Amino acid sequence: MPTLILVRHGRSTANTEGLLAGWTPGVALDERGAAQAAALPGRLAELPISEIVTSPLQRCQETIRPLLDARPGLTAHTDDRIGECHYGDWSGRKLAELKDEPLMEVVQAHPSAAAFPGGESMRAMQTRAAEAVREWNARVERDHGADAVYLMCSHGDIIKSLVADALGLHLDLFQRISVEPCSITAIRYTRLRPFLVRLGDTGDFASLAPREEPPADDATVGGGAGAP
């Protein structure tokens, strides 16, 4: 079965403003995110990518554009199932405000029971994303062979949930996984089990350096902004 390359979108204006973007329209890459996207073709230059699938949201479309420009033989397939979690009434709100919501404790400690007001549950988010991957695995193998490599550009919580699925982790453990903007995660699928072969690889280690303010104990819903 194929190898899936999961790319989180580059840093967005919502990331730097501390907003939970969700499906809010008009959320673009910021200057650093655009630079991350521009570097993506070089980082993936040695991979024979057979298909590209992307979230419909602008920040993912912008992230994948330089790669498509560098590989004119490829087109991007848009799949809503790997779009961001539908955060409902939380969309567009500041994360600093949301941390005091009673639901946030559930999102952190028991995400399989979390459902966003006016949105979807985290369980439903994981299910739709995993179904999309399984269908694309079959399609890519049929069209390009069992050793094919393909790419999906998606979002932090989606990618974390797919990693949990691949590792056989309960969704309640997925907040222990971290993927930075424009990081690369790779999962090699086989007939019996998936293998996680890369996780959140950005190519640099700046985010591991000590910071003036220590990182929070809680996971950032939607994914953090990466290294400062």
Side-chain angles (χ1 to χ4, degrees):
M1 295 178 70
T3 295
L4 170 60
I5 307 299
L6 289 160
V7 176
R8 185 184 167 201
H9 62 78
R11 196 173 74 176
S12 73
T13 54
N15 292 145
T16 49
E17 293 170 8
L19 299 176
L20 185 61
W23 284 69
T24 305
V27 177
L29 299 183
D30 67 6
E31 185 176 351
R32 179 171 181 167
Q36 291 170 330
L40 197 58
R43 294 170 64 197
L44 298 171
E46 296 184 18
L47 288 180
I49 297 171
S50 60
E51 298 279 2
I52 293 178
V53 188
T54 182
S55 157
L57 296 174
Q58 180 179 338
R59 52 198 182 274
C60 286
Q61 302 277 339
E62 291 180 355
T63 298
I64 218 66
R65 176 50 53 191
L67 183 61
L68 292 170
D69 290 343
R71 303 196 186 202
L74 288 175
T75 57
H77 306 275
T78 298
D79 193 325
D80 288 0
R81 295 174 296 177
I82 62 167
E84 181 62 284
C85 184
H86 290 276
Y87 296 116
D89 297 344
W90 280 25
S91 298
R93 293 181 60 186
K94 285 193 170 292
L95 289 163
E97 299 172 357
L98 291 169
K99 69 178 183 180
D100 295 325
E101 294 277 357
L103 178 60
M104 183 59 84
E105 186 177 11
V106 182
V107 170
Q108 293 293 329
H110 191 19
S112 66
F116 296 98
E120 70 179 333
S121 68
M122 303 198 88
R123 189 173 63 254
M125 173 200 74
Q126 183 187 44
T127 297
R128 63 172 162 85
E131 287 177 349
V133 166
R134 283 162 174 76
E135 288 182 19
W136 277 102
N137 281 349
R139 177 172 172 174
V140 169
E141 182 173 5
R142 180 197 67 204
D143 294 345
H144 302 283
D147 295 328
V149 176
Y150 76 107
L151 181 147
M152 284 185 168
C153 185
S154 188
H155 306 266
D157 281 351
I158 294 287
I159 293 172
K160 288 163 55 177
S161 74
L162 290 171
V163 169
D165 176 75
L167 292 175
L169 293 177
H170 196 283
L171 184 60
D172 287 345
L173 300 178
F174 101 125
Q175 297 290 25
R176 302 184 184 193
I177 300 165
S178 176
V179 289
E180 292 194 3
C182 225
S183 63
I184 293 172
T185 295
I187 301 171
R188 180 166 58 86
Y189 288 88
T190 73
R191 186 174 64 86
L192 296 180
R193 63 184 64 85
F195 292 89
L196 179 65
V197 292
R198 292 288 190 281
L199 176 62
D201 189 342
T202 61
D204 72 70
F205 299 97
S207 64
L208 302 180
R211 304 185 188 184
E212 292 183 7
E213 293 185 9
D217 291 336
D218 287 340
T220 302
V221 181

